[in-house]
Amino acid sequence: MTPTQALPPQVTVVRHPLVQHKLTLMRQKDASTGEFRRLAREISLLMAYELTRDLPLEQTTIETPLETMQAPLLAGKKLCIVSILRAGDGIAEGMLDLVPSARVGHIGLYRDPATLKPVEYYLKLPEDIGERLVIVVDPMLATGHSAAVAIERLKRAGATQLRFACLLAAPEGVGVLTAAHPDVPVFTCSVDRELDSHAYIRPGLGDAGDRLYGTK
């Protein structure tokens, strides 16, 4: 896919004005580590509203200070947020501000220098992941290979309800992920122009992990 082509139907760009405003602030090269981290957390919370707008509800009986009533509560098991290490933690933390009861899983991947393919080095998930809506988070969807491998691994672990969320995506990454997992909705704040020769998203915001944790 190219920037001029229509996005696949399972891709949602979150265009809320506050999200777009905060993303612009994050993109600026002079944003401090603390500011970048705070903005990532705030955007992630706002994205979580979009990701969870169709969660099922059930009616329950409660007592208000005045009377008994039927009122809605979330039905069944709650969410599981799975962070692709390390930068995914910067997104997971913001979502947990909105859904603090969510379970959290982690998957660690590195790129093999010979094959350039993602290799799993860490996996820790809730035992009941198959009963939960799983939101996989990573700030950047660049080549799409790590995200596709992570989702495939989660499916093998029993996950059946999956969504992927990122701050920025490249057209190349969107194409790879949606081709590999056409059943998984993708949420992003922007689909940027392209990848460069080093697989950085352009215009992008730099290395999200380094900017989140001040390691560069």
Side-chain angles (χ1 to χ4, degrees):
M1 97 178 252
T2 69
T4 58
Q5 291 177 315
L7 290 173
Q10 68 266 44
V11 177
T12 298
V13 178
V14 182
R15 303 188 188 277
H16 191 286
L18 285 175
V19 169
Q20 295 301 315
H21 171 80
K22 293 174 186 295
L23 179 61
T24 295
L25 297 179
M26 288 185 74
R27 289 184 188 268
Q28 297 181 64
K29 66 179 182 180
D30 58 351
S32 68
T33 298
E35 183 181 13
F36 190 92
R37 189 181 299 145
R38 174 180 59 80
L39 290 165
R41 192 171 189 135
E42 291 173 354
I43 290 176
S44 302
L45 186 150
L46 292 168
M47 289 187 75
Y49 281 101
E50 188 69 33
L51 283 150
T52 58
R53 65 168 54 247
D54 59 351
L55 291 179
L57 295 170
E58 61 185 4
Q59 295 295 313
T60 189
T61 302
I62 65 168
E63 292 280 347
T64 78
L66 301 176
E67 62 181 270
T68 302
M69 70 169 289
Q70 291 290 302
L73 285 177
L74 289 176
K77 296 279 187 176
K78 306 303 188 291
L79 304 177
C80 176
I81 300 169
V82 175
S83 167
I84 299 178
L85 297 173
R86 64 178 167 152
D89 283 356
I91 307 301
E93 289 171 3
M95 293 188 175
L96 286 170
D97 287 342
L98 183 67
V99 282
S101 63
R103 300 295 188 266
V104 179
H106 292 89
I107 182 166
L109 302 167
Y110 72 90
R111 183 179 296 180
D112 185 285
T115 65
L116 301 181
K117 294 181 178 180
V119 178
E120 178 188 318
Y121 68 87
Y122 183 80
L123 183 72
K124 188 71 172 180
L125 304 171
E127 292 183 356
D128 59 356
I129 193 169
E131 301 175 47
R132 297 177 181 271
L133 171 62
V134 178
I135 299 176
V136 185
V137 296
D138 198 358
M140 315 295 277
L141 180 61
T143 66
H145 297 303
S146 292
V149 168
I151 289 172
E152 176 59 33
R153 182 66 181 87
L154 293 171
K155 287 180 175 179
R156 285 192 280 119
T160 59
Q161 304 174 72
L162 287 145
R163 297 175 186 180
F164 180 83
C166 61
L167 299 179
L168 292 184
E172 296 91 334
V174 170
V176 167
L177 182 55
T178 56
H181 301 286
D183 57 320
V184 176
V186 176
F187 295 79
T188 185
C189 301
S190 176
V191 179
D192 280 13
R193 185 179 68 248
E194 62 186 357
L195 290 180
D196 66 15
S197 59
H198 300 288
Y200 279 93
I201 299 174
R202 296 280 184 161
L205 50 71
D207 186 298
D210 284 337
R211 296 195 70 187
L212 278 166
Y213 302 116
T215 50
K216 196 170 185 178

